[in-house]
């Protein structure tokens, strides 16, 4: 029998080896994948038991931080002025992965990022409990607040960029949400809040500045059409454009008309600069057909349309439609048809114009810091692209200043600041209130700032709303706060 | 079976004491660590509890010195260590359940402690009362009846209850019990007693098919009976685990008894047949297979009684990683039944792969010590019983841990010594007591009769006889009435001694 018992012993050993192999696979080889599974609530619980680092706005204002808590978890995430910063910070929750910068900068905030390696080594030797690092934002609390206040109760978004560095000084999306309501430790409450937010027709979960459904740019797109014309070398600010009362669209019964059916020029012709000042649809429609869809599309692409961008939040690419006939090209050239943009993209366009043709890489994070706030990674200003020549930039800049001084964007003016602007009133659907825009730059004391403001459904004015009437004063208020 | 020498004259009791101190120390350290990590201070009654536990374990140790001085010195410390780690883990979970205010609450730790005490007492009583394991052979058929009653009891209308879809519990007043745990011991005794008598007949050759020597058809009766019992368990009690255990136990014991691999083939065929039929007929079996194969499927994960538990257990193990979160610092309570069926996942989460490997190896030591005892034992009944009991421990562990780690489909069985469960703890301590008892016989130096001087020729004769004895010598079967064990033992000893001396 002993021979058989030894064989049984071998079988038993084999069974144990199977268990050892399976355990090693689960706990070592496949552990990373299992930990990353979105259903693995332990990973989120862990993050709630960590002293997660703070998110700090420029100047030291703490926007998000973890405070000791004595319930199920060791720490409670607290968002100071949560609604104001929600599009930037995102939130952490016990029911799923975090969002916004809380997700993107998770490793820094948890203290597990590679950049914090030496800090962790030090913690091991000093016996200190590891704590998360801090993330410093480029957001200026005063400007962020001003942008928030300027928008008031409307649905829409505002983005403020430092044109020379690409730093995002403000990024507001309305309506917003209170991250504190999602950071509570009761999973049922979180789920209920989230479901309500998801079902809310005003879409508070969308960060309208960089994502969501995007917007039709309306006449603000004329800046890009004009840039394409100037870059082509065939046009200058003084080039004569045909500007009929109504532009016949080829192969179409529709005619392109101007705002309120007005005529831009009694003579039926006007210069490019004049057309910009009064935002003449027929002139730009004509110009668009002359240039052709490809030329405009190329210019839009050089500004960043159709390209992935992370700031480090993911930015939905703005789009200029492809494969259009001439009628559609004319519409697209004035920012109608299927053009879709983010407010950030339009702020980048204005920033490039105001910054001598150099488009700076927009970013939200100024630095990543260890728990003791020593800097472990600093984000430097970096050129993203040079979409237009210095000369084109100067020409467009003058045109925009003219728009703000005498044209449609007079209400974007700010005392003591050189302001250039362009308005837009984008028809979304027949019979519906338009989405209204103002993009602008302000320049004073060596500082150049680009702003994009979009207000949905005409804002307070509804169907009679226009970019100049609704959005331009908001841009002015924001620029006023910047240069205060 | 005479190729192994008796374990030598050293009883090894001091080694046992040293190992016991280590095992107790590790258990207390784990206990303290849990309390410090969760509550920040040592438990109020720690000194009383640890002191009491130590005294009890030492009493068992002293009883071994008194009644079984040659018992294997490793078995008891290993069992104490596993029981101690299990207690620490259950205490850790009880703190968490209490904190969250969810079932089963904080009472599981104290209940398990009481059962541990009862288990140790049962072990002490078994070792004291049972002077020679061979006397169990007299109860072969009593054991069969006891075993069957235990298996069938949960089906009885008044006392039997169904928990989590399996009807494996009996309730009498406030007490609940899983009788199958005791059945497995009784059936091991029965199988050993029955097979040692019938082994020669069952080993006789039958038809030869595809090069495999099959047994005679009329000898197929017992294995068919075991198979029917297993299938019955599966069908009527939905107890996949015990079904597998009983059948596996029988197949291994019949193989060891008869030295015929064909029994294993027959067993596997019957088993596969049973599985196929069960899979076709029962949705809960299909469900178990689906959970095993595709646990991450979203709809299966969300389903009631779906793969959620298994997946959460896997997440726990993964989050434990190589070194674990540390005792008291993980989240094992997320997994349903983390204190019983999924205690292995809980341990893996907090002690990591390192702890898991250590615990598996400790189990392996326990099982291999049991099998070593079987090899060293001189009587066929003891060999079969020790093999059966040791294999039970190994197989039970394999079925549970294999289920948790997706080696095999998940079935409900108790992780021996670690998991919460009074009946199982009591039963496993009796298993350990029986192994200790058998090992005492196996390691005890032969009595003075072996000193008889036999000439070299006779020695060679005896050695030859001994080496061929296991299959050919008529054991109890031939001389059932004449107190078989005694004659057998004398023969064995001479043979063994004869080999030892050259």
């Amino acid at each position: 029998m002993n021979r058989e018992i030894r064989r049984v012993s071998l079988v038993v050993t084999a069974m144990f080896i199977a268990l050892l192999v399976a355990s090693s696979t689960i706990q070592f080889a496949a552990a990373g994948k299992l930990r990353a599974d979105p259903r693995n609530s332990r990973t989120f619980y862990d993050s709630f038991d960590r002293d997660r680092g703070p998110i700090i706005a420029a100047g030291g204002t703490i926007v998000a931080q973890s405070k000791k808590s004595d319930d199920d978890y060791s720490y409670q995430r607290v968002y100071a002025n949560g609604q104001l910063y929600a599009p930037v910070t995102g939130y952490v929750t016990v029911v799923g992965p975090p969002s916004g910068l809380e997700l993107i900068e998770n490793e820094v905030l948890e203290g597990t990022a590679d950049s914090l390696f030496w800090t962790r080594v030090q913690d091991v030797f000093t016996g200190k409990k590891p704590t998360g690092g801090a993330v410093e934002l480029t957001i200026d609390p005063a400007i962020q607040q001003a942008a928030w206040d300027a928008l008031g109760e409307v649905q829409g978004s505002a983005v403020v960029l430092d044109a020379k560095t690409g730093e995002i000084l403000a990024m507001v999306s309305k309506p917003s949400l209170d991250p504190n309501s999602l950071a509570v430790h009761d999973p049922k409450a979180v789920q209920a809040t989230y479901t309500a937010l998801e079902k809310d027709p005003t879409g508070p979960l969308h960060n309208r500045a960089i994502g969501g459904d995007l917007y039709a740019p309306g006449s603000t797109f004329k800046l890009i059409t004009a840039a394409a014309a100037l870059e082509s070398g065939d046009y200058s600010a003084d080039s004569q454009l045909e500007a009929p009362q109504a532009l016949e669209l080829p192969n179409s019964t529709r005619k392109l008309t101007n705002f309120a059916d007005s005529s831009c020029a009694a003579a039926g012709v006007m210069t490019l600069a004049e057309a910009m000042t009064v935002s003449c649809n027929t002139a730009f429609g004509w110009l668009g057909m002359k240039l052709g869809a490809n030329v405009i599309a190329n210019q839009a692409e050089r500004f960043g349309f159709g390209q992935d961008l992370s700031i480090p939040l993911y930015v939905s690419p703005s789009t200029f439609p492809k494969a259009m006939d001439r009628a559609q090209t004319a519409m697209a050239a004035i920012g109608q048809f299927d053009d879709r943009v983010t407010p950030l993209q339009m702020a980048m366009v204005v920033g490039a114009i105001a910054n001598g043709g150099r488009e700076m890489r927009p970013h939200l994070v100024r630095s990543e810091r260890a728990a003791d706030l020593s800097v472990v990674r600093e984000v430097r200003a970096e050129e993203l692209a040079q979409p237009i020549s210095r000369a084109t930039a100067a020409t467009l800049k003058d045109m925009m200043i003219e728009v703000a001084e005498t044209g449609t964007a007079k209400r974007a003016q700010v005392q003591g600041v050189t302001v250039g602007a362009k308005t837009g009133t984008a028809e979304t659907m027949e019979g519906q209130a338009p989405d209204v825009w103002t993009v602008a730059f302000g320049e004073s004391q060596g500082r150049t700032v680009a702003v994009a403001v979009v207000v949905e459904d005409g804002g307070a004015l509804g169907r009679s709303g226009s970019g100049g009437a609704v959005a331009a004063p908001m841009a002015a208020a924001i620029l006023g706060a910047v240069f205060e | 079976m005479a190729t192994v020498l008796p374990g030598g004259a050293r009883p090894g009791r001091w080694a046992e004491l040293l190992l016991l101190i280590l095992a107790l120390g590790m258990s207390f350290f784990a206990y303290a660590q849990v309390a410090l990590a969760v509550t920040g201070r040592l438990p109020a009654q720690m000194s009383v509890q640890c002191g009491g536990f130590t005294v009890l374990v030492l009493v068992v140790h002293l009883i071994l010195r008194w009644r079984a001085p040659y018992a294997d010195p490793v078995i008891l410390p290993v069992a104490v260590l596993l029981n101690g780690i299990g207690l620490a883990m259950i205490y850790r979970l009880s703190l968490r359940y209490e904190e969250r205010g969810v079932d089963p609450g904080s009472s599981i730790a104290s209940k398990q402690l009481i059962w541990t005490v009862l288990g140790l007492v049962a072990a002490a009583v078994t070792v004291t009362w049972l002077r020679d394991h061979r006397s169990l052979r007299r109860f072969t058929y009593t054991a069969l009846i006891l075993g069957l009653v235990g298996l069938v009891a949960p089906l009885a209308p008044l006392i039997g209850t169904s928990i989590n879809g399996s009807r494996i519990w009996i309730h009498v007043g406030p007490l609940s019990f899983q009788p199958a745990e005791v059945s497995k011991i009784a059936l091991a005794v029965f199988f050993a007693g029955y097979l040692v008598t019938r082994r020669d007949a069952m080993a006789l050759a039958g038809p030869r098919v595809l090069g495999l020597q099959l047994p005679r058809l009329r000898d197929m009766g017992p294995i068919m009976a075991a198979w029917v019992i297993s299938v019955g368990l599966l069908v009527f009690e939905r107890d996949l685990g015990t079904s597998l255990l009983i059948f596996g136990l029988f197949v291994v014991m019949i193989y060891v008894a008869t030295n015929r691999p064909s029994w294993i083939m027959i067993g596997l065929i019957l088993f596969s047949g049973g599985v196929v039929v069960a899979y076709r007929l029962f949705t809960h079996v299909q469900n178990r297979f689906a959970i095993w194969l595709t646990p991450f499927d979203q709809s299966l994960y969300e389903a009631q009684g779906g793969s959620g538990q298994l997946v959460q257990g896997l997440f726990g193990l993964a989050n434990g990683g190589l070194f674990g979160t540390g005792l008291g610092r993980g989240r094992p309570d997320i997994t349903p039944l983390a204190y019983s069926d999924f205690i292995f996942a809980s341990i893996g989460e907090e002690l990591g792969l390192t702890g898991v490997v250590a615990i598996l190896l400790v189990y392996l030591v326990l099982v291999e010590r049991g099998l070593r005892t079987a090899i060293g034992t001189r009587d066929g009944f003891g060999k079969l019983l020790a093999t059966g009991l040791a294999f039970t421990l190994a197989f039970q562990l394999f079925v549970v841990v294999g289920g948790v780690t997706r080696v095999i489909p998940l079935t409900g069985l108790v992780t021996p010594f670690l998991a919460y469960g009074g009946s199982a703890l009591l039963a496993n301590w009796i298993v350990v007591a029986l192994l200790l008892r058998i090992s005492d016989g196996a390691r005890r130096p032969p009595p003075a009769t072996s000193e008889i001087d036999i000439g070299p020729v006779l020695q060679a004769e005896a050695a030859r006889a001994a080496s061929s004895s296991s299959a050919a010598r008529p054991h109890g079967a031939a001389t059932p009435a004449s107190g078989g064990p005694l004659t057998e033992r004398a023969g064995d000893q001479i043979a063994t001694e004869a080999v030892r001396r050259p």
Side-chain angles (χ1 to χ4, degrees), chain A residues 8 22 29 37 70 102 107 129 146 162 195 234 243 284 321 336 355 370 396 434 462 468 470:
Chain A
V8 169
D37 192 301
D70 48 9
E102 293 275 25
E107 291 189 333
K129 210 181 159 202
D162 186 316
T195 310
D234 301 335
F284 273 94
Q336 295 292 155
N355 193 40
L396 284 168
V470 175

Side-chain angles (χ1 to χ4, degrees), chain B residues 121-163:
Chain B
V121 169
V125 168
T126 307
V127 173
T128 315
W129 167 75
L130 186 68
R131 302 297 297 273
D132 188 329
H133 63 268
R134 285 168 299 177
S135 56
L136 285 177
R137 207 178 145 179
R138 276 182 292 165
F139 303 108
T140 299
Y141 286 92
T142 319
L144 170 65
I145 293 164
L146 185 71
L148 290 180
V149 166
L151 291 181
V152 177
L155 294 176
L158 281 174
I159 48 172
T161 39
S162 199
I163 296 176

Side-chain angles (χ1 to χ4, degrees), chain B residues 90 152 167 192 225 261 319 327-328 380 416 453:
Chain B
I90 288 167
V152 177
R167 197 178 174 97
N319 277 50
L327 278 173
D453 192 33

Side-chain angles (χ1 to χ4, degrees), chain B residues 209-243:
Chain B
V209 175
L210 298 170
L212 192 69
Q213 194 79 55
L214 291 180
R216 295 178 303 174
L217 261 184
R218 65 174 118 157
D219 294 325
M220 293 285 283
I223 198 170
M224 291 309 293
W227 184 74
V228 167
I229 291 169
S230 298
V231 172
L233 284 171
L234 196 67
V235 174
F236 295 109
E237 300 183 12
R238 297 191 159 198
D239 189 357
L240 258 62
T242 311
S243 162

